[in-house]
Amino acid sequence: MLLFFTLGLLIHFVFFASIFDIYFTSPLVHGMTPQFTPLPPPARRLVLFVADGLRADTLYELDENGTSRAPFIRNIIMHEGSWGISHTRVPTESRPGHVALIAGFYEDVSAVAKGWKENPVEFDSLFNESKYTWSWGSPDILPMFAKGASGDHVYTYSYDAKREDFGAQDATKLDTWVFDNVKDFFRHARNNQSLFSKINEEKIVFFLHLLGIDTNGHAHRPSSRDYKDNIKKVDDGVKEIVSMFNHFYGNDGKTTFIFTSDHGMTDWGSHGAGHPSETLTPLVTWGAGINYPQRVSAQQFDDSFLKEWRLENWKRLDVNQADIAPLMTSLIGVPFPLNSVGILPVDYLNNTDLFKAESMFTNAVQILEQFKVKMTQKKEVTLPFLFTPFKLLSDSKQFNILRKARSYIKHRKFDEVVSLCKELIHLALKGLSYYHTYDRFFLGINVVIGFVGWISYASLLIIKSHSNLIKGVSKEVKKPSHLLPCSFVAIGILVAFFLLIQACPWTYYVYGLLPVPIWYAVLREFQVVQDLVTSLLTYPLSHFVGYLLVFTLGIEVLVLSFFYRYMLTAGLTAFAVWPFLTRLWTRAKVTSLSWAFFSVLLAVFPLMPVVGRKPDIFLVMGAGLLVLLLSLCVVTSLMKRKDSFRKEELLVHLLQVLSTVLSMYVVYSTQSSLLRKQGLPLMNQIISWATLASSLFVPLLSSPAVFQRLFSILLSLMSTYLLLSTGYEAVFPLVLFCLMFVWINIEQETLQQSGVCCKQKLTSIQFSYNTDITQFRQLYLDDIRRAFFLVFFLVTAFFGTGNIASINSFDLASVYCFLTVFSPFMMGALMMWKILIPFVLVMCAFEAVQLTTQLSSKSLFLIVLVISDIMALHFFFLVKDYGSWLDIGTRQLLACTAWLFIYISASPNRLWIPSDPELDLNLLHAIRAWHVKVLLTFGIPLFTLPFDYFHFRHRSEFCFKNILVKYSILCMRLFLLFLTVVNYA
């Protein structure tokens, strides 16, 4: 089993890695020749203002008094420049937004797996192409454009990261800092000859990143007075900076100003997805080379914004966000960023038609260069007779379009040049996508063949070793035939030779060769397949088809629940009806009614809005009161059984109740303090972190009896969960726990009904390492249902109140009891722990189900493996490399979560719970090395914690050595979880 499990981990790691090789490789190419317009530019310098998190509607609309929140910007729109909406592309995050603005391409999808701040690959940008660039703003944004820039000409000035405090009294200070430092910079330049000469050069850029609006939006919502007042502060600051530039350069008319945003923000204060409030950002331009306002009588747009903003008489020019980069480069005359895919918006330019045509021609040649390099790279590693070129843009067609465009320029047909170049750009972009996904079908077929083989082998292993379905399999050892292994060796050699002559990457060999041994192992079990078919032919066809349809329907519901949370509601509703369709209703009416009640109650949560959109502190307080009430009932019940309840156990429960009370106080106190803009109180922060730390080991002090240990885990985890809650989700773990407790009881009833075993009292069952559940019994059909219940409850725990594929689907206010200073890694870690708490409750409950139903952990592992792999096979075809972090993350998470269940189901195995306190630490290190190398992205190291909670023995064994060794294991697992979350964030 250990060998099978190890090989299974390796195979699943390879298949998981294939997702990134197939869908998440960098589309960027290198080796292009820089292209620039061969005409004098209209501007010597460019000033770029990026108001982070600013929505277009909030800037352009008038307030309740009919006045503009940004009078200076509105005056620019009406009298000095051009304006419009910049349509951002999801993911609407700060990094991809700035990359699109400044580098001209949309976020490299490989960044999903590479990091948040650092550049996953080197890329060119406006700043790199400029002669000098000076930038002021956030330490999270500025470094990524300075890092990798050729030469020493990109200068950054950023404030300390601790200033990014969501609980701060005034987040506008972030923007004030930028404006003040820019003014100080120019005052200093007057007294510094070297600096003065640099800022009087041509082709220079000044970048002002303004984070205050985004910070206030996250902390107070875009509808708040703080957010709107911050816009007024930014408007005043922009006005002062513009006046200073004009004065410093003597009103020479050679400065271009661009004001825009990287992304918008939802009404509930988040961003990352594709809601219009996130994707519609303002764009206002004025100064050298920019068209003056154009009054029009009518405009054709599908929205009603113009009337709402009272700007229907001023021509609106919409662009895609990546189009701003070529606009800026053409204005100051620097080469277009090499990887830019933006299309120059010529309507913004106030220049000659010749300049517009030449700039558009340069834009087309620059994108065509990328297409040529990509085609050459793919052609060099593909056999000539197998290479299929992009037919819509052949070499002859490229030549004809370029020749015709140059001819039009010569004959001064400038409008035709612009149209022709746009056509060439669209074809080149399609060709880039074509060659980027050229090998996707080949790799996908290999992965699917291998994965189907693995599912087949796992299914055969279940049938052969863990069921009574096949009884006629011959036990005689037959002389092995050499034909089968020789055939597969020959196939492997042919595949390797085919990849070798094409100079494929080494990963292609892994994906191409791995199916060979897998299918060899499947065909070696051909006798099992024959006996299975024989056995099924004796089974009633109607029963077989019925069970198959139910199983298929269950898998599809699980798959759909990843996309549509209401499918969880449908599934839980079906679960509620299940006891009434069996004899359980006649045997255990109270248990059946309890099961139905809590199933329906839990089914309500997936129908509610995603966590954070409607925060309600009183719901959190209510959840805390329910926990206290439940604690009172349980402790009172346990105290009546004097023979089994000791004073030490009572002390542990009282300590956990006190922790819950403190959590309620901290939540209420912190909320009040933040509303008064007094920040996070230090004492509250200390209590929060102490509660989080204590919740990990206090359950180890409780009795190892099933009920007491489960209840102790609930109390400890709920105290932390309350601190991380903002609304209705605080009740979710409590309802989930109640359903899990009923599940333990109802599974006992089902086994007693089938006569497999006698019902045991939960108070008499002790979690102990001495119990070997791996040899209990063979599988029954009902065990497939139990495994399905486990997977379904795990999915419900993950998605019951939100979507863990995107941290932005949760409110940052969840972590304000722990910290308010912006720290993406720590905030991500805390939110991940919040997501995992319901998961831990499910796994703890299922450990009890395994013990009480005498279910074999090995056979369970194989059933869950098959269910999860079938789900993963579905998800493999649903992975996408475009869309929001939520869209990308969901589909990337699909396979991760499905394969995650495989590992989870193996956790109860004694491999992961050494029975000897004097365990060999080398084995521990080896096991944890697999955690890090193979499952780092999944966050799996945490998921063995529930079984430590269960199997930590009674306090009579609390010698120092046992505590030290076992608690060290917990700490090591938590440390690995921390590394996992850092990688995820």
Side-chain angles (χ1 to χ4, degrees):
M1 187 64 182
L2 175 59
L3 178 61
F4 174 83
F5 185 72
T6 304
L7 292 176
L9 280 178
L10 177 61
I11 290 170
H12 284 86
F13 174 70
V14 170
F15 289 148
F16 172 69
S18 71
I19 294 175
F20 293 93
D21 263 356
I22 296 173
Y23 293 99
F24 296 102
T25 54
S26 172
L28 303 187
V29 292
H30 301 281
M32 292 79 69
T33 303
Q35 305 291 327
F36 59 91
T37 305
L39 293 174
R44 291 175 59 87
R45 67 199 69 91
L46 181 138
V47 183
L48 173 63
F49 301 95
V50 177
D52 203 306
L54 176 59
R55 293 165 49 148
D57 58 346
T58 314
L59 176 72
Y60 291 142
E61 69 185 5
L62 303 179
D63 62 18
E64 56 274 9
N65 299 321
T67 59
S68 174
R69 298 188 183 93
F72 176 75
I73 296 295
R74 193 171 183 91
N75 181 69
I76 293 293
I77 293 173
M78 294 181 174
H79 301 100
E80 295 186 36
S82 296
W83 75 285
I85 291 178
S86 169
H87 295 264
T88 69
R89 184 179 293 184
V90 286
T92 47
E93 302 285 354
S94 290
R95 175 199 160 85
H98 283 87
V99 169
L101 283 170
I102 300 167
F105 70 91
Y106 298 103
E107 176 67 290
D108 173 9
V109 293
S110 67
V112 172
K114 298 292 180 66
W116 191 78
K117 294 182 183 178
E118 297 298 328
N119 298 338
V121 293
E122 291 185 6
F123 61 85
D124 193 20
S125 71
L126 167 71
F127 295 171
N128 187 48
E129 296 292 352
S130 68
K131 193 164 188 177
Y132 295 107
T133 292
W134 290 270
S135 56
W136 296 265
S138 169
D140 300 321
I141 298 299
L142 304 187
M144 70 177 173
F145 294 102
K147 181 181 178 182
S150 57
D152 183 19
H153 68 282
V154 179
Y155 305 99
T156 62
Y157 304 91
S158 58
Y159 39 74
D160 187 75
K162 292 181 180 179
R163 285 177 172 264
E164 300 177 14
D165 188 347
F166 295 110
Q169 186 172 1
D170 187 8
T172 61
K173 291 181 178 179
L174 298 175
D175 300 336
T176 304
W177 184 95
V178 173
F179 294 133
D180 290 344
N181 276 265
V182 173
K183 296 173 188 175
D184 292 340
F185 173 81
F186 277 89
R187 278 195 293 266
H188 176 66
R190 292 185 183 277
N191 302 318
N192 186 319
Q193 188 59 41
S194 174
L195 179 58
F196 186 82
S197 62
K198 286 182 179 179
I199 63 176
N200 278 281
E201 296 275 1
E202 60 180 11
K203 301 180 180 179
I204 61 175
V205 177
F206 300 93
F207 171 44
L208 284 71
H209 176 244
L210 308 169
L211 188 61
I213 294 175
D214 184 76
T215 305
N216 270 317
H218 284 304
H220 307 292
R221 307 292 188 269
S223 60
S224 67
R225 176 55 54 191
D226 303 84
Y227 184 88
K228 295 174 181 177
D229 287 347
N230 203 152
I231 295 176
K232 179 66 170 65
K233 289 283 185 69
V234 167
D235 184 69
D236 292 339
V238 171
K239 180 179 179 180
E240 293 176 7
I241 294 299
V242 171
S243 176
M244 184 203 66
F245 265 89
N246 290 334
H247 181 263
F248 186 89
Y249 289 104
N251 293 304
D252 64 353
K254 292 295 184 180
T255 307
T256 301
F257 300 94
I258 292 183
F259 181 88
T260 187
S261 176
D262 55 345
H263 56 74
M265 187 171 289
T266 61
D267 292 336
W268 51 93
S270 70
H271 52 82
H275 191 273
S277 61
E278 300 169 89
T279 60
L280 303 182
T281 60
L283 174 62
V284 182
T285 63
W286 68 100
I290 296 296
N291 255 333
Y292 290 103
Q294 303 175 53
R295 294 186 67 90
V296 292
S297 57
Q299 301 188 63
Q300 298 298 322
F301 285 99
D302 295 332
D303 52 61
S304 59
F305 292 139
L306 288 170
K307 288 186 178 180
E308 294 175 7
W309 301 337
R310 299 183 187 176
L311 292 171
E312 58 267 34
N313 294 327
W314 283 268
K315 188 174 182 179
R316 169 179 148 190
L317 303 171
D318 285 12
V319 301
N320 292 320
Q321 193 174 49
D323 299 342
I324 299 175
L327 172 64
M328 293 188 292
T329 57
S330 63
L331 287 168
I332 59 174
V334 299
F336 285 66
L338 294 176
N339 297 112
S340 171
V341 295
I343 302 174
L344 176 65
V346 292
D347 290 338
Y348 272 85
L349 296 177
N350 179 20
N351 212 315
T352 64
D353 290 338
L354 174 61
F355 181 86
K356 294 178 183 179
E358 285 285 1
S359 297
M360 200 70 207
F361 183 80
T362 304
N363 190 187
V365 172
Q366 169 259 326
I367 294 178
L368 184 62
E369 281 281 312
Q370 298 179 63
F371 169 80
K372 290 180 177 179
V373 171
K374 194 75 173 179
M375 181 182 67
T376 302
Q377 289 177 351
K378 186 53 60 182
K379 196 171 184 178
E380 288 176 350
V381 296
T382 306
L383 294 176
F385 63 89
L386 293 177
F387 180 72
T388 306
F390 182 63
K391 297 179 181 179
L392 296 179
L393 193 57
S394 61
D395 291 342
S396 59
K397 187 166 186 177
Q398 296 174 39
F399 177 78
N400 289 334
I401 292 177
L402 292 176
R403 181 178 56 80
K404 187 182 291 186
R406 183 51 66 186
S407 174
Y408 283 155
I409 292 176
K410 185 177 180 180
H411 291 88
R412 306 186 66 80
K413 297 180 179 180
F414 300 123
D415 291 339
E416 287 82 351
V417 174
V418 172
S419 300
L420 196 60
C421 289
K422 286 183 178 180
E423 178 189 350
L424 178 59
I425 288 173
H426 289 304
L427 289 174
L429 291 176
K430 285 183 179 179
L432 274 172
S433 177
Y434 172 80
Y435 286 119
H436 179 63
T437 59
Y438 191 84
D439 292 333
R440 186 169 289 183
F441 179 76
F442 168 74
L443 294 176
I445 288 294
N446 279 278
V447 170
V448 169
I449 291 174
F451 210 57
V452 170
W454 169 258
I455 295 173
S456 303
Y457 180 73
S459 302
L460 291 175
L461 189 60
I462 295 173
I463 295 167
K464 179 180 179 181
S465 305
H466 298 279
S467 74
N468 296 318
L469 186 60
I470 293 182
K471 299 179 181 179
V473 178
S474 176
K475 301 297 181 181
E476 299 180 4
V477 179
K478 298 181 180 180
K479 185 176 180 180
S481 170
H482 295 292
L483 178 61
L484 188 64
C486 289
S487 300
F488 276 90
V489 168
I491 293 172
I493 292 174
L494 288 174
V495 171
F497 179 73
F498 174 76
L499 297 173
L500 180 65
I501 59 178
Q502 296 196 90
C504 292
W506 66 270
T507 52
Y508 283 41
Y509 289 87
V510 177
Y511 307 139
L513 292 174
L514 192 58
V516 176
I518 292 176
W519 278 102
Y520 170 69
V522 171
L523 293 181
R524 283 188 63 186
E525 305 294 341
F526 184 71
Q527 184 63 47
V528 178
V529 177
Q530 283 186 320
D531 291 341
L532 173 63
V533 173
T534 303
S535 177
L536 290 178
L537 289 176
T538 63
Y539 202 70
L541 180 62
S542 60
H543 288 189
F544 173 74
V545 173
Y547 287 133
L548 184 62
L549 289 176
V550 170
F551 180 78
T552 304
L553 178 63
I555 294 293
E556 292 304 317
V557 169
L558 282 173
V559 171
L560 289 174
S561 66
F562 279 71
F563 302 96
Y564 311 104
R565 289 172 57 224
Y566 60 80
M567 293 304 298
L568 296 174
T569 299
L572 288 168
T573 304
F575 285 4
V577 177
W578 163 64
F580 303 99
L581 302 178
T582 65
R583 288 180 293 173
L584 281 173
W585 167 242
T586 59
R587 293 180 55 88
K589 287 184 171 59
V590 175
T591 303
S592 298
L593 287 173
S594 300
W595 168 266
F597 173 75
F598 286 113
S599 294
V600 172
L601 192 58
L602 192 66
V604 174
F605 287 92
L607 297 178
M608 301 181 75
V610 172
V611 169
R613 299 191 179 184
K614 295 182 179 179
D616 190 338
I617 196 67
F618 295 105
L619 287 176
V620 181
M621 295 294 103
L625 291 175
L626 287 175
V627 173
L628 294 178
L629 181 62
L630 180 63
S631 303
L632 178 63
C633 296
V634 171
V635 171
T636 303
S637 175
L638 292 175
M639 289 181 67
K640 292 179 181 179
R641 298 199 305 268
K642 298 181 180 179
D643 56 328
S644 61
F645 193 66
R646 305 182 185 182
K647 292 182 179 179
E648 294 88 343
E649 296 173 7
L650 177 61
L651 184 62
V652 171
H653 286 306
L654 290 178
L655 178 64
Q656 292 175 315
V657 169
L658 177 62
S659 178
T660 303
V661 173
L662 283 175
S663 295
M664 294 171 63
Y665 165 77
V666 168
V667 170
Y668 185 80
S669 174
T670 300
Q671 176 77 0
S672 300
S673 178
L674 293 177
L675 287 176
R676 295 192 300 269
K677 296 186 178 181
Q678 295 178 353
L680 172 61
L682 179 60
M683 183 55 66
N684 289 11
Q685 191 174 24
I686 293 173
I687 293 174
S688 298
W689 285 106
T691 301
L692 174 61
S694 64
S695 67
L696 300 176
F697 66 84
V698 169
L700 305 178
L701 305 176
S702 63
S703 168
V706 169
F707 179 73
Q708 280 120 297
R709 182 58 61 88
L710 282 172
F711 184 67
S712 179
I713 292 172
L714 172 70
L715 288 183
S716 286
L717 295 181
M718 275 302 298
S719 61
T720 302
Y721 200 84
L722 289 174
L723 293 171
L724 293 167
S725 298
T726 60
Y728 74 87
E729 82 275 14
V731 188
F732 179 73
L734 191 59
V735 177
L736 181 64
F737 172 81
C738 293
L739 181 60
M740 293 299 98
F741 182 72
V742 177
W743 185 30
I744 298 170
N745 286 274
I746 207 168
E747 289 297 355
Q748 282 190 295
E749 296 290 349
T750 58
L751 277 185
Q752 187 180 7
Q753 173 183 302
S754 60
V756 175
C757 66
C758 297
K759 182 178 179 181
Q760 305 178 62
K761 291 185 178 181
L762 292 183
T763 53
S764 65
I765 301 175
Q766 301 281 324
F767 288 106
S768 168
Y769 288 118
N770 300 325
T771 305
D772 184 4
I773 63 173
T774 61
Q775 303 295 329
F776 275 178
R777 60 179 173 83
Q778 293 287 79
L779 285 173
Y780 294 93
L781 192 61
D782 216 27
D783 292 326
I784 299 177
R785 176 191 56 78
R786 293 187 181 93
F788 178 81
F789 275 19
L790 168 63
V791 176
F792 191 92
F793 286 137
L794 288 174
V795 174
T796 304
F798 273 118
F799 298 105
T801 59
N803 189 329
I804 71 168
S806 174
I807 290 296
N808 291 306
S809 66
F810 292 88
D811 189 5
L812 286 177
S814 299
V815 303
Y816 286 173
C817 289
F818 293 88
L819 75 164
T820 55
V821 176
F822 181 62
S823 175
F825 301 118
M826 188 58 66
M827 288 178 168
L830 288 170
M831 284 191 283
M832 284 295 294
W833 177 236
K834 175 185 178 181
I835 294 163
L836 294 173
I837 284 175
F839 174 91
V840 173
L841 293 176
V842 173
M843 287 311 304
C844 290
F846 192 72
E847 172 73 353
V849 170
Q850 278 191 288
L851 290 178
T852 57
T853 60
Q854 299 178 344
L855 180 61
S856 166
S857 60
K858 290 182 180 179
S859 54
L860 166 77
F861 164 59
L862 292 173
I863 296 175
V864 176
L865 181 144
V866 171
I867 293 175
S868 304
D869 280 351
I870 293 173
M871 292 169 60
L873 196 59
H874 276 72
F875 297 148
F876 182 81
F877 295 102
L878 300 175
V879 174
K880 50 190 283 191
D881 57 358
Y882 57 90
S884 66
W885 275 168
L886 182 62
D887 296 331
I888 295 173
T890 296
R891 287 156 176 78
Q892 184 184 1
L893 180 73
L894 305 180
C896 298
T897 306
W899 291 332
L900 172 62
F901 296 153
I902 300 164
Y903 181 86
I904 296 165
S905 61
S907 296
N909 194 295
R910 292 180 65 187
L911 167 67
W912 307 106
I913 313 173
S915 59
D916 186 2
E918 305 288 342
L919 61 93
D920 180 5
L921 289 179
N922 289 327
L923 173 62
L924 177 68
H925 294 322
I927 293 173
R928 296 307 158 214
W930 275 105
H931 279 303
V932 176
K933 293 179 181 178
V934 182
L935 301 162
L936 189 62
T937 312
F938 300 168
I940 285 177
L942 170 71
F943 305 140
T944 51
L945 285 175
F947 310 105
D948 291 307
Y949 281 176
F950 278 134
H951 294 295
F952 204 109
R953 300 187 185 187
H954 203 268
R955 69 189 142 288
S956 61
E957 301 177 31
F958 269 20
C959 67
F960 177 76
K961 198 173 198 178
N962 287 0
I963 294 176
L964 181 63
V965 170
K966 294 183 178 181
Y967 194 65
S968 296
I969 297 172
L970 290 175
C971 292
M972 292 173 69
R973 289 169 178 170
L974 289 172
F975 175 69
L976 291 172
L977 171 67
F978 171 75
L979 296 179
T980 299
V981 173
V982 169
N983 181 70
Y984 179 86

